[in-house]
Amino acid sequence: MTLYRLLLRLLLPGLVLGVLLRRLRGRGVAHELRERLALDSGTGRPIWLHGASNGEITSARWLLEELLARDPSASLLVTCNNPTARTMVRSWGLPRTEARLAPWDSPGAVHRFLSHWRPRALLLLENELWPERLAGCAARGIPVLAIGARLSESSARRWGRVAPGLLRQMLGAIGWLSAQDAASERRFVAAGLAPIS
């Protein structure tokens, strides 16, 4: 985790600059950076659902609607990695639902995000495993559930060579995982996930 944090601190200025350069012609540069750095505040104790982009988020719309229907007091926070997916979620007009860009996976941004929003749980879609987010949730006792998770053979080999301890630590923060297929499930368990029952 130390090496991961060091690399991220070195890359963060480039990420900020990249956002600025991409958005110079459009509006909302400051707002996007505020979301990415978690400089804005949230309210309530939402259920946090994160998916990378439109496909993952669209596939989970039924889940969002079901959570809202089952618990009229529940609020949802949906994060994604691009403004298009955020706009899509907002266009659905779901009650008690906020859509935001995901915070960068840096210690400061994740700490601020979790402190502001205080999520009741984190639901991850597919392959969105971010070390700092998972460590932050584990440290605060926030349950993490992974839905439709996939770990390809090549990804498992790469993790095994580059950072097996980091993968084990991330998987240790996940309380429940639903794998896309039996092969992914076997690879997750071999990498350190508690056996799925």
Side-chain angles (χ1 to χ4, degrees):
M1 187 68 134
T2 303
L3 179 60
Y4 175 80
R5 287 179 175 162
L6 176 63
L7 287 172
L8 199 57
R9 286 182 187 195
L10 293 172
L11 295 174
L12 193 58
L15 292 172
V16 172
L17 183 60
V19 167
L20 289 173
L21 292 174
R22 279 194 317 271
R23 306 276 181 215
L24 273 178
R25 293 186 184 171
R27 295 172 37 212
V29 173
H31 184 69
E32 182 173 333
L33 283 175
R34 288 186 66 77
E35 286 186 20
R36 294 291 196 188
L37 295 170
L39 298 174
D40 50 356
S41 61
T43 57
R45 298 217 44 232
I47 298 168
W48 175 19
L49 185 136
H50 175 76
S53 60
N54 298 40
E56 293 90 352
I57 302 289
T58 300
S59 71
R61 181 174 177 172
W62 70 270
L63 177 60
L64 299 174
E65 292 171 346
E66 185 68 22
L67 288 168
L68 292 167
R70 283 185 182 228
D71 185 354
S73 68
S75 61
L76 305 178
L77 172 62
V78 180
T79 61
C80 49
N81 294 341
N82 66 65
T84 306
R86 177 187 60 188
T87 300
M88 179 187 70
V89 173
R90 288 177 178 172
S91 75
W92 293 343
L94 297 173
R96 307 182 315 276
T97 302
E98 285 272 344
R100 300 285 177 129
L101 293 174
W104 279 322
D105 202 49
S106 67
V110 169
H111 174 77
R112 284 187 297 273
F113 183 88
L114 294 175
S115 294
H116 291 319
W117 288 100
R118 300 179 303 115
R120 292 172 21 191
L122 169 58
L123 308 178
L124 297 171
L125 300 175
E126 294 194 13
N127 296 325
E128 287 296 294
L129 300 179
W130 293 92
E132 202 63 54
R133 290 180 206 165
L134 291 172
C137 286
R140 293 169 186 249
I142 298 168
V144 177
L145 298 87
I147 302 167
R150 186 172 57 84
L151 184 63
S152 69
E153 191 172 335
S154 61
S155 291
R157 270 196 313 272
R158 199 169 25 253
W159 275 108
R161 281 194 311 267
V162 176
L166 181 58
L167 180 58
R168 264 192 310 279
Q169 185 178 356
M170 288 192 303
L171 294 175
I174 297 173
W176 180 86
L177 183 139
S178 164
Q180 278 186 14
D181 52 60
S184 286
E185 181 177 325
R186 283 192 301 274
R187 286 189 281 270
F188 277 119
V189 171
L193 181 72
I196 300 167
S197 54

